[in-house]
Structures are given as C-alpha cells and as structure tokens.
Amino acid sequence: MARILYLTQIDIDDGAVRLLPAECQRTGMRRPLVVSDAGVRAAGVLQQALDALGGLPHAVFDATPSNPTEAAVRAAVAVYRREGCDGLVAVGGGSSIDLAKGVAIAATHDGPLAGYATIEGGSPRISERVPPLIAVPTTAGTGSEVARGAIVIVDDGRKLGFHSWHLMPKAALLDPELTLGLPPGLTAATGMDAIAHCMETFMAPAVNPPADGIALDGLERGWAHIERATRDGQDREARWNMMSASMQGAMAFQKGLGCVHSLSHSLGGVDPRLHHGTLNAMFLPAVVRFNAAAESIQRERRLQRLAHAMGLPGCDARGTEVAAAISALNARLGLPTGLRAMGVGEDLFERVIDGAMADHCHKTNPRIATRDDYREMLAAAM
C-alpha cells in the first residue's frame, strides 16, 4: 500500500477501499452519508464500498446526475439531515465527489449555493463547519478526490466552481480494482480528462515548479497507459497508472487551468448531457495551438517539454506536433471526431463564449482569450 501525504492523505493500491472503516474513525465519522450514482450501484461497485464499511451505520444517496446540480445537492442534504449523518463518503466519479462537496457546503451553510461560488466571491464564506469527506474514486479522470474545488450547475443554469481548502477530502482511497469494469468509452473519456488536467496546468503561467513536475509525470503515465486501459479493462498496471495520472493532474491543477476548462465548463452548463472529459479532449488541440504564442510558453519551452513527456521527438513553436498527437489519440480511442459529432451547433457559440469569459479558469490561461479567440477555438473543435 502506497501512502502519500501531500494535499491530503492518499492511499493507492488494489484493495484500498477496505481502509474505509479506519478512515471514518480517524476523521470522526460515526454515521456517514454515502454519495454515489445509479451507474456505480448497478456495476456493483457501490456495494463493494458498503461491504467495506462493515457494521458502521450509514445512509445512502445514489441519485447523483452526470453533471451535479443544486437540485440534487438539496435532495442529498435532505437525506443527510433526516438520517442524522455527520460526514460524507463519496463513491463514484467526479460527479459524485463534487456533489458531496456541494452537500458539505449546503448542509452547514445558509442561503443559495451560488452565494459560495468562486466567481461570486463566495470562497471565503465556506468555513470549517463543513463535515469531513472521504473520497473513493471509481474512475480515473477528474482527480476531485485530491482537489479543493467542485463544479455544480446551480439553479439559474450556470455551471459554477466552488473552491475552498475546507472542501479538500480528508482522505482519498484510490483502489484501481474499482475501475476494472469501467467500459472502454468511459475509460477513454475520463482518461483524457486526466491528461487534459496534466497538460493544461503545465501550460498555466503561475510559478509552481513542484506542480509542474507532478503534471509532467502524470502526463507521461497517462499518455503511456490510456490506450492499454481502454483496450483491456483488466490490465491492472494500466489501471493503476491511469488512477495515478488522474490524482496527479488534480494535485497539479491547484496551480490553475485555462481555456480548455473555461470552454468545457461553459458548454457543459449549456448542455449537461455532454461528458466533461470528452469536451476537454475536443478542445485541447485548439487550445494548445492558441497557447503556443504565449510568452511564458515560449520562454520556458513548455510545448517541447510536453512533447517529451508524450514520447514525441519534438514540437515546433506553434504546437503543431502536440496538437496533432492529441487529435490522433482521440481518434484511436474512439472518441467523437469533434463537437458537431456530439450534437453541438454553431448556434450555441455565443452562450458558450459568455460562460467561458466568466469562468474561474479564464484568467489562469497563459494567454487571455478574447471573444473572437474563443469563437475560433470553438470553430476549430467542431
């Protein structure tokens, strides 16, 4: 069992879910609410976590939508209060973990959720009153198990970010065995989410050498193993490395993300049926080409360093080779050929640009995009 103490306590190994009772005791939970979704329950993975809890009293909310909503947060809070819960265990992908973070806020803080959103200046209002959270990821993608933020669609339809160190899970139990049954399409989409995190945070201009190193190592692991994990879901080495890449991407993105996420957050709010990781994969080539002209990218040879981690012989100053390699990988993984293949039309562009300009990731890109820049990136991703 590998134990890592960095942003939080992380245990990564086959069978890590069996540490749940000890972690509940360590964090003071006597009756947790287990937050999950219908797919995780149907796959039998939720039951593995519940079995691991043994005789510890608990309640279950398994109605997390694919994109967490404020309405779902309210429904889970009702269960939390009715059952007298004192903590949260999230078992699922980023949606379940983010929903649990929303519950942590709403169960202990008054008023609409939007009042605590980052772009509304609400982060300082999130206090230590939030209950403890343990995260058990069942996909290798978002890395929300080691992140201080959550993304929730609030009642007015905006897809907003909520960030506070109080939201960081007290423990992350990374059990690659829980991902063995993940279907190929979801393995590919969530895996590209992890790769996008590693690449985009490495391009972000903030000075954070440790985060840069973690991102490059995570990219190297993810790039080398995503096709193996997609092709053979029982490949335990590939699953372990994809779970590590996911965790590392989120460790690193405390540094900041950029236009990939500004666009995917916004478009995911406009059409919640669209998968976040797939959207990141669609936008990443265009954003790499856009970022190539940034002074920090050129000065620190960041595209060449990304290319090295991807096993490419090199990359020109325009990002051509890196962008082309991402597009080729998307194709090999069987992901959509572009936004149009996902049902997105040009009629959505202005709404998406409105959201991207307001997103918390917009200002941490190495080049600050204009509306015309975003329009060009959307067109390139079609």
Side-chain angles (χ1 to χ4, degrees):
M1 182 74 67
R3 173 163 289 174
I4 301 166
L5 296 175
Y6 183 72
L7 297 172
T8 187
Q9 179 175 298
I10 305 157
D11 287 284
I12 177 169
D13 203 357
D14 290 343
V17 70
R18 292 193 288 271
L19 297 175
L20 258 178
E23 289 308 306
C24 286
Q25 182 178 26
R26 182 180 69 85
T27 56
M29 291 190 215
R30 295 183 299 275
R31 188 178 182 85
L33 174 66
V34 181
V35 177
S36 191
D37 65 51
V40 173
R41 179 183 280 281
V45 176
L46 173 59
Q47 191 58 50
Q48 292 181 57
L50 298 180
D51 290 345
L53 283 172
L56 184 69
H58 61 271
V60 175
F61 178 84
D62 63 357
T64 301
S66 57
N67 282 282
T69 64
E70 188 171 358
V73 168
R74 282 195 297 272
V77 168
V79 178
Y80 183 93
R81 290 174 173 164
R82 184 183 70 236
E83 298 293 331
C85 296
D86 59 2
L88 295 149
V89 173
V91 181
S95 296
S96 294
I97 300 172
D98 281 7
L99 187 82
K101 292 176 182 176
V103 173
I105 299 169
T108 52
H109 295 67
D110 296 329
L113 207 54
Y116 300 93
T118 302
I119 65 168
E120 300 289 345
S123 293
R125 298 184 60 205
I126 302 172
S127 74
E128 69 281 354
R129 295 195 308 275
V130 298
L133 167 63
I134 296 170
V136 184
T138 62
T139 62
T142 70
S144 190
E145 68 274 6
V146 294
R148 72 187 191 281
I151 304 294
V152 179
I153 299 174
V154 296
D155 287 339
D156 63 14
R158 291 180 296 164
K159 193 170 188 177
L160 300 183
F162 299 81
H163 297 83
S164 169
W165 289 110
H166 297 302
L167 296 177
M168 178 69 70
K170 301 297 185 186
L173 302 181
L174 279 62
D175 189 339
E177 286 187 340
L178 301 183
T179 70
L180 294 178
L182 205 63
L186 195 54
T187 298
T190 56
M192 284 306 298
D193 193 15
I195 285 172
H197 290 159
C198 292
M199 295 185 73
E200 190 168 35
T201 198
F202 183 72
M203 291 186 286
V207 177
N208 191 328
D212 287 343
I214 291 167
L216 286 178
D217 184 81
L219 172 59
E220 185 173 1
R221 291 176 187 276
W223 195 267
H225 291 92
I226 187 170
E227 290 182 82
R228 283 174 52 182
T230 301
R231 183 172 57 249
D232 177 8
Q234 299 298 309
D235 185 330
R236 289 174 178 267
E237 181 183 17
R239 291 293 193 186
W240 194 100
N241 278 279
M242 289 309 300
M243 185 152 271
S244 183
S246 174
M247 173 261 291
Q248 289 174 257
M251 277 186 171
F253 73 44
Q254 316 299 331
K255 172 189 170 188
L257 291 166
C259 290
V260 171
H261 280 75
S262 298
L263 287 165
S264 59
H265 288 159
S266 180
L267 182 49
V270 171
D271 188 347
R273 298 171 300 173
L274 301 175
H275 188 274
H276 175 71
T278 306
L279 290 177
N280 284 348
M282 299 299 101
F283 288 127
L284 191 53
V287 174
V288 166
R289 289 191 290 267
F290 173 72
N291 285 348
E295 191 275 334
S296 62
I297 297 288
Q298 296 282 344
R299 182 183 67 249
E300 299 178 18
R301 301 184 70 254
R302 289 194 175 265
L303 293 182
Q304 289 77 13
R305 293 160 72 186
L306 287 174
H308 179 76
M310 296 159 69
L312 303 177
C315 183
D316 64 22
R318 294 175 296 173
T320 305
E321 290 84 357
V322 168
I326 297 164
S327 296
L329 177 60
N330 287 341
R332 294 196 303 273
L333 292 172
L335 292 174
T337 55
L339 296 178
R340 199 180 309 280
M342 299 174 69
V344 177
E346 286 85 351
D347 58 305
L348 298 181
F349 278 15
E350 297 310 310
R351 290 174 63 193
V352 174
I353 293 168
D354 287 343
M357 295 288 289
D359 189 77
H360 63 275
C361 295
H362 168 67
K363 292 183 179 179
T364 54
N365 200 67
R367 288 179 69 191
I368 300 302
T370 65
R371 292 187 69 89
D372 285 343
D373 293 328
Y374 275 129
R375 199 172 290 111
E376 290 179 11
M377 285 183 262
L378 282 162
M382 290 298 285

